[in-house]
Amino acid sequence: MIRAETIRDRHEAFEAADTITLDETQRHRRRMAMVSDNGIAFLLDLSGARLLREGDGVVLDDGRVVKVVAKPEPLYAVRGQNAAHLLTLAWHLGNRHQAAQILSDHILIRREPVIREMLQGLRAIVEEVDAPFDPEGGAYGHHSHGDEARSLTAAHSHHG
């Protein structure tokens, strides 16, 4: 079976032989048999578990690269009344250990009615959306983001 032991970062240039469309849970892997969108079967065999990001390339041992596509999932887009309110909402979500993708004007989270009710009680605007989900890696994760998203840890460390 074809093996894949290396991931090309999404910011590197590469030519993709195919794509593989996976939701966020399916993209968090270390070792698993996979099949690309057009039928290339391979064994993902990484040294450690990691979250494959939209645009990353899975390098097959025959030299081909399969580009990762994030499958849209049912999510909530959470918006605040203003930037400070959005940060407060982000704090409440983090306090409840919710996986979250932080964007400049909203937060994406998995749909969960109890959390929606809490957010609406805090005057958040909560909209159901279907979108790719690329959550923050957490304080000890090895995920980095571009200008569109920032970790809350970085936002809180610059208040002095």
Side-chain angles (χ1 to χ4, degrees):
M1 179 178 249
I2 299 170
R3 294 169 63 92
E5 299 176 334
T6 309
I7 304 299
R8 285 288 245 330
D9 185 85
R10 62 188 170 178
H11 301 296
E12 294 177 38
F14 60 84
E15 188 174 322
D18 199 357
T19 57
I20 187 163
T21 305
L22 306 165
D23 68 22
E24 189 268 339
T25 304
Q26 295 166 327
R27 287 184 286 124
H28 194 255
R29 294 283 179 239
R30 183 189 81 75
R31 189 169 202 268
M32 182 178 183
M34 303 181 120
V35 179
S36 70
D37 295 338
N38 290 310
I40 301 171
F42 63 94
L43 176 66
L44 181 70
D45 192 11
L46 303 175
S47 58
R50 68 172 283 174
L51 179 63
L52 302 172
R53 300 280 185 182
E54 166 89 25
D56 282 350
V58 178
V59 182
L60 306 180
D61 60 10
D62 64 8
R64 293 179 293 174
V65 180
V66 176
K67 184 177 180 178
V68 175
V69 176
K71 181 180 183 180
E73 303 181 48
L75 304 172
Y76 291 143
V78 180
R79 289 179 168 65
Q81 308 296 323
N82 54 45
H85 186 229
L86 185 63
L87 282 172
T88 300
L89 297 170
W91 183 88
H92 282 283
L93 290 168
N95 195 42
R96 283 155 186 83
H97 304 283
Q98 293 296 305
Q101 182 176 349
I102 312 296
L103 300 155
S104 62
D105 64 345
H106 68 284
I107 301 166
L108 292 174
I109 61 170
R110 286 193 181 89
R111 289 186 197 171
E112 190 176 317
V114 172
I115 296 297
R116 179 183 191 144
E117 191 175 313
M118 176 205 71
L119 290 166
Q120 289 173 328
L122 294 167
R123 298 180 301 108
I125 300 154
V126 182
E127 175 189 2
E128 290 187 359
V129 298
D130 290 298
F133 190 43
D134 202 19
E136 292 293 323
Y140 304 102
H142 300 287
H143 306 132
S144 60
H145 291 282
D147 293 333
E148 76 216 37
R150 294 281 176 238
S151 90
L152 292 178
T153 306
H156 287 295
S157 67
H158 293 87
H159 58 63

PDB file of all heavy atoms in Angstrom, residues 81-111:
ATOM      1  N   GLN A  81     -21.643  42.364  19.826  1.00  0.00           N
ATOM      2  CA  GLN A  81     -22.152  43.720  19.565  1.00  0.00           C
ATOM      3  C   GLN A  81     -21.012  44.644  19.113  1.00  0.00           C
ATOM      4  O   GLN A  81     -21.234  45.601  18.391  1.00  0.00           O
ATOM      5  CB  GLN A  81     -22.818  44.291  20.824  1.00  0.00           C
ATOM      6  CG  GLN A  81     -23.878  43.385  21.439  1.00  0.00           C
ATOM      7  CD  GLN A  81     -25.074  43.159  20.526  1.00  0.00           C
ATOM      8  OE1 GLN A  81     -25.489  44.062  19.813  1.00  0.00           O
ATOM      9  NE2 GLN A  81     -25.609  41.949  20.531  1.00  0.00           N
ATOM     10  N   ASN A  82     -19.787  44.333  19.564  1.00  0.00           N
ATOM     11  CA  ASN A  82     -18.587  45.095  19.200  1.00  0.00           C
ATOM     12  C   ASN A  82     -17.382  44.199  19.517  1.00  0.00           C
ATOM     13  O   ASN A  82     -17.558  43.065  19.971  1.00  0.00           O
ATOM     14  CB  ASN A  82     -18.532  46.438  19.958  1.00  0.00           C
ATOM     15  CG  ASN A  82     -18.648  46.238  21.468  1.00  0.00           C
ATOM     16  OD1 ASN A  82     -18.002  45.369  22.047  1.00  0.00           O
ATOM     17  ND2 ASN A  82     -19.490  47.044  22.109  1.00  0.00           N
ATOM     18  N   ALA A  83     -16.185  44.705  19.301  1.00  0.00           N
ATOM     19  CA  ALA A  83     -14.977  43.897  19.489  1.00  0.00           C
ATOM     20  C   ALA A  83     -14.812  43.429  20.935  1.00  0.00           C
ATOM     21  O   ALA A  83     -14.476  42.268  21.186  1.00  0.00           O
ATOM     22  CB  ALA A  83     -13.738  44.678  19.042  1.00  0.00           C
ATOM     23  N   ALA A  84     -15.056  44.305  21.895  1.00  0.00           N
ATOM     24  CA  ALA A  84     -14.908  43.928  23.306  1.00  0.00           C
ATOM     25  C   ALA A  84     -15.917  42.844  23.672  1.00  0.00           C
ATOM     26  O   ALA A  84     -15.592  41.899  24.411  1.00  0.00           O
ATOM     27  CB  ALA A  84     -15.082  45.154  24.208  1.00  0.00           C
ATOM     28  N   HIS A  85     -17.133  42.961  23.177  1.00  0.00           N
ATOM     29  CA  HIS A  85     -18.159  41.948  23.444  1.00  0.00           C
ATOM     30  C   HIS A  85     -17.743  40.613  22.835  1.00  0.00           C
ATOM     31  O   HIS A  85     -17.910  39.559  23.461  1.00  0.00           O
ATOM     32  CB  HIS A  85     -19.513  42.427  22.898  1.00  0.00           C
ATOM     33  CG  HIS A  85     -20.653  41.524  23.240  1.00  0.00           C
ATOM     34  ND1 HIS A  85     -21.555  41.100  22.302  1.00  0.00           N
ATOM     35  CD2 HIS A  85     -21.021  40.947  24.408  1.00  0.00           C
ATOM     36  CE1 HIS A  85     -22.444  40.312  22.891  1.00  0.00           C
ATOM     37  NE2 HIS A  85     -22.144  40.199  24.167  1.00  0.00           N
ATOM     38  N   LEU A  86     -17.191  40.632  21.619  1.00  0.00           N
ATOM     39  CA  LEU A  86     -16.741  39.393  20.985  1.00  0.00           C
ATOM     40  C   LEU A  86     -15.633  38.730  21.810  1.00  0.00           C
ATOM     41  O   LEU A  86     -15.628  37.513  21.980  1.00  0.00           O
ATOM     42  CB  LEU A  86     -16.267  39.656  19.545  1.00  0.00           C
ATOM     43  CG  LEU A  86     -15.886  38.409  18.737  1.00  0.00           C
ATOM     44  CD1 LEU A  86     -17.089  37.484  18.552  1.00  0.00           C
ATOM     45  CD2 LEU A  86     -15.330  38.809  17.379  1.00  0.00           C
ATOM     46  N   LEU A  87     -14.718  39.522  22.357  1.00  0.00           N
ATOM     47  CA  LEU A  87     -13.673  38.960  23.218  1.00  0.00           C
ATOM     48  C   LEU A  87     -14.270  38.340  24.471  1.00  0.00           C
ATOM     49  O   LEU A  87     -13.826  37.279  24.928  1.00  0.00           O
ATOM     50  CB  LEU A  87     -12.649  40.037  23.612  1.00  0.00           C
ATOM     51  CG  LEU A  87     -11.632  40.403  22.549  1.00  0.00           C
ATOM     52  CD1 LEU A  87     -10.803  41.603  22.994  1.00  0.00           C
ATOM     53  CD2 LEU A  87     -10.736  39.219  22.240  1.00  0.00           C
ATOM     54  N   THR A  88     -15.285  38.983  25.045  1.00  0.00           N
ATOM     55  CA  THR A  88     -15.965  38.427  26.217  1.00  0.00           C
ATOM     56  C   THR A  88     -16.616  37.096  25.872  1.00  0.00           C
ATOM     57  O   THR A  88     -16.524  36.121  26.631  1.00  0.00           O
ATOM     58  CB  THR A  88     -17.020  39.422  26.746  1.00  0.00           C
ATOM     59  OG1 THR A  88     -16.355  40.638  27.099  1.00  0.00           O
ATOM     60  CG2 THR A  88     -17.760  38.869  27.962  1.00  0.00           C
ATOM     61  N   LEU A  89     -17.270  37.026  24.707  1.00  0.00           N
ATOM     62  CA  LEU A  89     -17.887  35.779  24.261  1.00  0.00           C
ATOM     63  C   LEU A  89     -16.825  34.693  24.071  1.00  0.00           C
ATOM     64  O   LEU A  89     -17.028  33.539  24.446  1.00  0.00           O
ATOM     65  CB  LEU A  89     -18.675  36.003  22.968  1.00  0.00           C
ATOM     66  CG  LEU A  89     -19.867  36.964  23.077  1.00  0.00           C
ATOM     67  CD1 LEU A  89     -20.403  37.292  21.687  1.00  0.00           C
ATOM     68  CD2 LEU A  89     -20.951  36.406  23.980  1.00  0.00           C
ATOM     69  N   ALA A  90     -15.675  35.074  23.493  1.00  0.00           N
ATOM     70  CA  ALA A  90     -14.581  34.123  23.302  1.00  0.00           C
ATOM     71  C   ALA A  90     -14.097  33.596  24.648  1.00  0.00           C
ATOM     72  O   ALA A  90     -13.817  32.404  24.792  1.00  0.00           O
ATOM     73  CB  ALA A  90     -13.429  34.783  22.536  1.00  0.00           C
ATOM     74  N   TRP A  91     -14.024  34.469  25.647  1.00  0.00           N
ATOM     75  CA  TRP A  91     -13.613  34.034  26.979  1.00  0.00           C
ATOM     76  C   TRP A  91     -14.594  32.995  27.532  1.00  0.00           C
ATOM     77  O   TRP A  91     -14.182  31.957  28.059  1.00  0.00           O
ATOM     78  CB  TRP A  91     -13.509  35.227  27.938  1.00  0.00           C
ATOM     79  CG  TRP A  91     -13.034  34.800  29.279  1.00  0.00           C
ATOM     80  CD1 TRP A  91     -11.740  34.686  29.699  1.00  0.00           C
ATOM     81  CD2 TRP A  91     -13.845  34.366  30.385  1.00  0.00           C
ATOM     82  NE1 TRP A  91     -11.702  34.220  30.992  1.00  0.00           N
ATOM     83  CE2 TRP A  91     -12.981  34.018  31.438  1.00  0.00           C
ATOM     84  CE3 TRP A  91     -15.216  34.247  30.578  1.00  0.00           C
ATOM     85  CZ2 TRP A  91     -13.441  33.556  32.660  1.00  0.00           C
ATOM     86  CZ3 TRP A  91     -15.677  33.785  31.807  1.00  0.00           C
ATOM     87  CH2 TRP A  91     -14.795  33.445  32.831  1.00  0.00           C
ATOM     88  N   HIS A  92     -15.899  33.265  27.397  1.00  0.00           N
ATOM     89  CA  HIS A  92     -16.908  32.316  27.887  1.00  0.00           C
ATOM     90  C   HIS A  92     -16.803  30.971  27.164  1.00  0.00           C
ATOM     91  O   HIS A  92     -16.943  29.915  27.791  1.00  0.00           O
ATOM     92  CB  HIS A  92     -18.320  32.898  27.730  1.00  0.00           C
ATOM     93  CG  HIS A  92     -18.651  33.912  28.788  1.00  0.00           C
ATOM     94  ND1 HIS A  92     -18.996  33.565  30.079  1.00  0.00           N
ATOM     95  CD2 HIS A  92     -18.674  35.264  28.746  1.00  0.00           C
ATOM     96  CE1 HIS A  92     -19.228  34.660  30.775  1.00  0.00           C
ATOM     97  NE2 HIS A  92     -19.042  35.705  29.991  1.00  0.00           N
ATOM     98  N   LEU A  93     -16.565  30.994  25.862  1.00  0.00           N
ATOM     99  CA  LEU A  93     -16.419  29.743  25.110  1.00  0.00           C
ATOM    100  C   LEU A  93     -15.179  28.979  25.572  1.00  0.00           C
ATOM    101  O   LEU A  93     -15.211  27.766  25.762  1.00  0.00           O
ATOM    102  CB  LEU A  93     -16.354  30.019  23.608  1.00  0.00           C
ATOM    103  CG  LEU A  93     -17.668  30.499  22.987  1.00  0.00           C
ATOM    104  CD1 LEU A  93     -17.427  31.027  21.573  1.00  0.00           C
ATOM    105  CD2 LEU A  93     -18.706  29.383  22.981  1.00  0.00           C
ATOM    106  N   GLY A  94     -14.079  29.698  25.755  1.00  0.00           N
ATOM    107  CA  GLY A  94     -12.846  29.070  26.226  1.00  0.00           C
ATOM    108  C   GLY A  94     -13.002  28.508  27.628  1.00  0.00           C
ATOM    109  O   GLY A  94     -12.478  27.436  27.944  1.00  0.00           O
ATOM    110  N   ASN A  95     -13.742  29.204  28.470  1.00  0.00           N
ATOM    111  CA  ASN A  95     -13.985  28.760  29.833  1.00  0.00           C
ATOM    112  C   ASN A  95     -14.774  27.447  29.847  1.00  0.00           C
ATOM    113  O   ASN A  95     -14.700  26.687  30.805  1.00  0.00           O
ATOM    114  CB  ASN A  95     -14.732  29.846  30.612  1.00  0.00           C
ATOM    115  CG  ASN A  95     -14.693  29.622  32.098  1.00  0.00           C
ATOM    116  OD1 ASN A  95     -13.672  29.251  32.654  1.00  0.00           O
ATOM    117  ND2 ASN A  95     -15.827  29.844  32.754  1.00  0.00           N
ATOM    118  N   ARG A  96     -15.510  27.183  28.764  1.00  0.00           N
ATOM    119  CA  ARG A  96     -16.266  25.937  28.635  1.00  0.00           C
ATOM    120  C   ARG A  96     -15.551  24.938  27.712  1.00  0.00           C
ATOM    121  O   ARG A  96     -16.146  23.961  27.274  1.00  0.00           O
ATOM    122  CB  ARG A  96     -17.679  26.231  28.141  1.00  0.00           C
ATOM    123  CG  ARG A  96     -18.541  26.781  29.269  1.00  0.00           C
ATOM    124  CD  ARG A  96     -19.686  27.629  28.782  1.00  0.00           C
ATOM    125  NE  ARG A  96     -20.394  28.239  29.900  1.00  0.00           N
ATOM    126  CZ  ARG A  96     -20.028  29.344  30.514  1.00  0.00           C
ATOM    127  NH1 ARG A  96     -18.922  29.976  30.148  1.00  0.00           N
ATOM    128  NH2 ARG A  96     -20.729  29.845  31.507  1.00  0.00           N
ATOM    129  N   HIS A  97     -14.288  25.226  27.410  1.00  0.00           N
ATOM    130  CA  HIS A  97     -13.439  24.322  26.624  1.00  0.00           C
ATOM    131  C   HIS A  97     -14.050  23.983  25.264  1.00  0.00           C
ATOM    132  O   HIS A  97     -13.944  22.850  24.802  1.00  0.00           O
ATOM    133  CB  HIS A  97     -13.098  23.044  27.406  1.00  0.00           C
ATOM    134  CG  HIS A  97     -12.455  23.343  28.720  1.00  0.00           C
ATOM    135  ND1 HIS A  97     -11.134  23.714  28.830  1.00  0.00           N
ATOM    136  CD2 HIS A  97     -12.966  23.367  29.976  1.00  0.00           C
ATOM    137  CE1 HIS A  97     -10.854  23.949  30.093  1.00  0.00           C
ATOM    138  NE2 HIS A  97     -11.944  23.753  30.812  1.00  0.00           N
ATOM    139  N   GLN A  98     -14.675  24.976  24.620  1.00  0.00           N
ATOM    140  CA  GLN A  98     -15.253  24.771  23.295  1.00  0.00           C
ATOM    141  C   GLN A  98     -14.171  24.954  22.238  1.00  0.00           C
ATOM    142  O   GLN A  98     -13.453  25.960  22.248  1.00  0.00           O
ATOM    143  CB  GLN A  98     -16.378  25.790  23.031  1.00  0.00           C
ATOM    144  CG  GLN A  98     -17.591  25.614  23.907  1.00  0.00           C
ATOM    145  CD  GLN A  98     -18.275  24.293  23.650  1.00  0.00           C
ATOM    146  OE1 GLN A  98     -18.629  23.978  22.525  1.00  0.00           O
ATOM    147  NE2 GLN A  98     -18.454  23.513  24.694  1.00  0.00           N
ATOM    148  N   ALA A  99     -14.056  23.997  21.322  1.00  0.00           N
ATOM    149  CA  ALA A  99     -13.159  24.185  20.181  1.00  0.00           C
ATOM    150  C   ALA A  99     -13.697  25.370  19.383  1.00  0.00           C
ATOM    151  O   ALA A  99     -14.907  25.464  19.146  1.00  0.00           O
ATOM    152  CB  ALA A  99     -13.140  22.928  19.323  1.00  0.00           C
ATOM    153  N   ALA A 100     -12.826  26.286  19.009  1.00  0.00           N
ATOM    154  CA  ALA A 100     -13.279  27.510  18.348  1.00  0.00           C
ATOM    155  C   ALA A 100     -12.270  27.978  17.305  1.00  0.00           C
ATOM    156  O   ALA A 100     -11.064  27.887  17.509  1.00  0.00           O
ATOM    157  CB  ALA A 100     -13.488  28.621  19.388  1.00  0.00           C
ATOM    158  N   GLN A 101     -12.804  28.470  16.209  1.00  0.00           N
ATOM    159  CA  GLN A 101     -11.986  29.110  15.182  1.00  0.00           C
ATOM    160  C   GLN A 101     -12.219  30.609  15.330  1.00  0.00           C
ATOM    161  O   GLN A 101     -13.346  31.087  15.172  1.00  0.00           O
ATOM    162  CB  GLN A 101     -12.393  28.627  13.791  1.00  0.00           C
ATOM    163  CG  GLN A 101     -11.544  29.237  12.686  1.00  0.00           C
ATOM    164  CD  GLN A 101     -11.899  28.661  11.321  1.00  0.00           C
ATOM    165  OE1 GLN A 101     -12.618  27.684  11.204  1.00  0.00           O
ATOM    166  NE2 GLN A 101     -11.384  29.290  10.287  1.00  0.00           N
ATOM    167  N   ILE A 102     -11.156  31.339  15.648  1.00  0.00           N
ATOM    168  CA  ILE A 102     -11.247  32.767  15.935  1.00  0.00           C
ATOM    169  C   ILE A 102     -10.937  33.557  14.671  1.00  0.00           C
ATOM    170  O   ILE A 102      -9.837  33.467  14.127  1.00  0.00           O
ATOM    171  CB  ILE A 102     -10.242  33.173  17.047  1.00  0.00           C
ATOM    172  CG1 ILE A 102     -10.305  32.240  18.251  1.00  0.00           C
ATOM    173  CG2 ILE A 102     -10.438  34.630  17.429  1.00  0.00           C
ATOM    174  CD1 ILE A 102     -11.594  32.226  19.006  1.00  0.00           C
ATOM    175  N   LEU A 103     -11.907  34.337  14.215  1.00  0.00           N
ATOM    176  CA  LEU A 103     -11.737  35.192  13.040  1.00  0.00           C
ATOM    177  C   LEU A 103     -11.842  36.643  13.474  1.00  0.00           C
ATOM    178  O   LEU A 103     -12.177  36.935  14.630  1.00  0.00           O
ATOM    179  CB  LEU A 103     -12.785  34.821  11.988  1.00  0.00           C
ATOM    180  CG  LEU A 103     -12.675  33.346  11.536  1.00  0.00           C
ATOM    181  CD1 LEU A 103     -13.986  32.823  11.010  1.00  0.00           C
ATOM    182  CD2 LEU A 103     -11.568  33.197  10.527  1.00  0.00           C
ATOM    183  N   SER A 104     -11.566  37.578  12.575  1.00  0.00           N
ATOM    184  CA  SER A 104     -11.518  38.986  12.971  1.00  0.00           C
ATOM    185  C   SER A 104     -12.854  39.530  13.463  1.00  0.00           C
ATOM    186  O   SER A 104     -12.881  40.385  14.340  1.00  0.00           O
ATOM    187  CB  SER A 104     -10.996  39.842  11.814  1.00  0.00           C
ATOM    188  OG  SER A 104     -11.881  39.750  10.714  1.00  0.00           O
ATOM    189  N   ASP A 105     -13.974  39.036  12.940  1.00  0.00           N
ATOM    190  CA  ASP A 105     -15.266  39.605  13.332  1.00  0.00           C
ATOM    191  C   ASP A 105     -16.268  38.576  13.849  1.00  0.00           C
ATOM    192  O   ASP A 105     -17.415  38.912  14.126  1.00  0.00           O
ATOM    193  CB  ASP A 105     -15.879  40.384  12.179  1.00  0.00           C
ATOM    194  CG  ASP A 105     -16.217  39.501  10.983  1.00  0.00           C
ATOM    195  OD1 ASP A 105     -15.741  38.355  10.921  1.00  0.00           O
ATOM    196  OD2 ASP A 105     -16.971  39.964  10.120  1.00  0.00           O
ATOM    197  N   HIS A 106     -15.859  37.319  13.961  1.00  0.00           N
ATOM    198  CA  HIS A 106     -16.744  36.284  14.502  1.00  0.00           C
ATOM    199  C   HIS A 106     -15.939  35.055  14.922  1.00  0.00           C
ATOM    200  O   HIS A 106     -14.748  34.959  14.637  1.00  0.00           O
ATOM    201  CB  HIS A 106     -17.847  35.917  13.507  1.00  0.00           C
ATOM    202  CG  HIS A 106     -17.380  35.222  12.274  1.00  0.00           C
ATOM    203  ND1 HIS A 106     -16.754  35.874  11.233  1.00  0.00           N
ATOM    204  CD2 HIS A 106     -17.432  33.913  11.913  1.00  0.00           C
ATOM    205  CE1 HIS A 106     -16.459  35.006  10.278  1.00  0.00           C
ATOM    206  NE2 HIS A 106     -16.850  33.805  10.669  1.00  0.00           N
ATOM    207  N   ILE A 107     -16.631  34.158  15.601  1.00  0.00           N
ATOM    208  CA  ILE A 107     -16.043  32.914  16.075  1.00  0.00           C
ATOM    209  C   ILE A 107     -16.884  31.778  15.521  1.00  0.00           C
ATOM    210  O   ILE A 107     -18.117  31.861  15.532  1.00  0.00           O
ATOM    211  CB  ILE A 107     -16.057  32.859  17.620  1.00  0.00           C
ATOM    212  CG1 ILE A 107     -15.284  34.047  18.208  1.00  0.00           C
ATOM    213  CG2 ILE A 107     -15.492  31.527  18.124  1.00  0.00           C
ATOM    214  CD1 ILE A 107     -15.529  34.247  19.690  1.00  0.00           C
ATOM    215  N   LEU A 108     -16.237  30.738  15.036  1.00  0.00           N
ATOM    216  CA  LEU A 108     -16.952  29.544  14.590  1.00  0.00           C
ATOM    217  C   LEU A 108     -16.810  28.457  15.651  1.00  0.00           C
ATOM    218  O   LEU A 108     -15.704  28.215  16.144  1.00  0.00           O
ATOM    219  CB  LEU A 108     -16.386  29.024  13.263  1.00  0.00           C
ATOM    220  CG  LEU A 108     -16.607  29.910  12.039  1.00  0.00           C
ATOM    221  CD1 LEU A 108     -15.872  29.332  10.829  1.00  0.00           C
ATOM    222  CD2 LEU A 108     -18.089  30.064  11.734  1.00  0.00           C
ATOM    223  N   ILE A 109     -17.944  27.827  16.001  1.00  0.00           N
ATOM    224  CA  ILE A 109     -17.948  26.712  16.944  1.00  0.00           C
ATOM    225  C   ILE A 109     -18.888  25.634  16.420  1.00  0.00           C
ATOM    226  O   ILE A 109     -19.744  25.902  15.577  1.00  0.00           O
ATOM    227  CB  ILE A 109     -18.381  27.135  18.371  1.00  0.00           C
ATOM    228  CG1 ILE A 109     -19.807  27.698  18.360  1.00  0.00           C
ATOM    229  CG2 ILE A 109     -17.392  28.110  18.978  1.00  0.00           C
ATOM    230  CD1 ILE A 109     -20.392  27.916  19.742  1.00  0.00           C
ATOM    231  N   ARG A 110     -18.737  24.425  16.937  1.00  0.00           N
ATOM    232  CA  ARG A 110     -19.668  23.348  16.582  1.00  0.00           C
ATOM    233  C   ARG A 110     -21.042  23.673  17.155  1.00  0.00           C
ATOM    234  O   ARG A 110     -21.140  24.265  18.227  1.00  0.00           O
ATOM    235  CB  ARG A 110     -19.188  22.015  17.155  1.00  0.00           C
ATOM    236  CG  ARG A 110     -18.018  21.457  16.409  1.00  0.00           C
ATOM    237  CD  ARG A 110     -17.785  19.986  16.808  1.00  0.00           C
ATOM    238  NE  ARG A 110     -16.643  19.501  16.078  1.00  0.00           N
ATOM    239  CZ  ARG A 110     -15.394  19.593  16.504  1.00  0.00           C
ATOM    240  NH1 ARG A 110     -15.130  20.132  17.663  1.00  0.00           N
ATOM    241  NH2 ARG A 110     -14.407  19.131  15.772  1.00  0.00           N
ATOM    242  N   ARG A 111     -22.076  23.227  16.456  1.00  0.00           N
ATOM    243  CA  ARG A 111     -23.435  23.452  16.940  1.00  0.00           C
ATOM    244  C   ARG A 111     -23.703  22.624  18.193  1.00  0.00           C
ATOM    245  O   ARG A 111     -23.472  21.419  18.210  1.00  0.00           O
ATOM    246  CB  ARG A 111     -24.460  23.086  15.859  1.00  0.00           C
ATOM    247  CG  ARG A 111     -24.454  24.067  14.712  1.00  0.00           C
ATOM    248  CD  ARG A 111     -25.580  23.756  13.754  1.00  0.00           C
ATOM    249  NE  ARG A 111     -25.336  24.418  12.469  1.00  0.00           N
ATOM    250  CZ  ARG A 111     -26.043  24.193  11.382  1.00  0.00           C
ATOM    251  NH1 ARG A 111     -27.042  23.320  11.398  1.00  0.00           N
ATOM    252  NH2 ARG A 111     -25.771  24.840  10.260  1.00  0.00           N
TER     253      ARG A 111
END
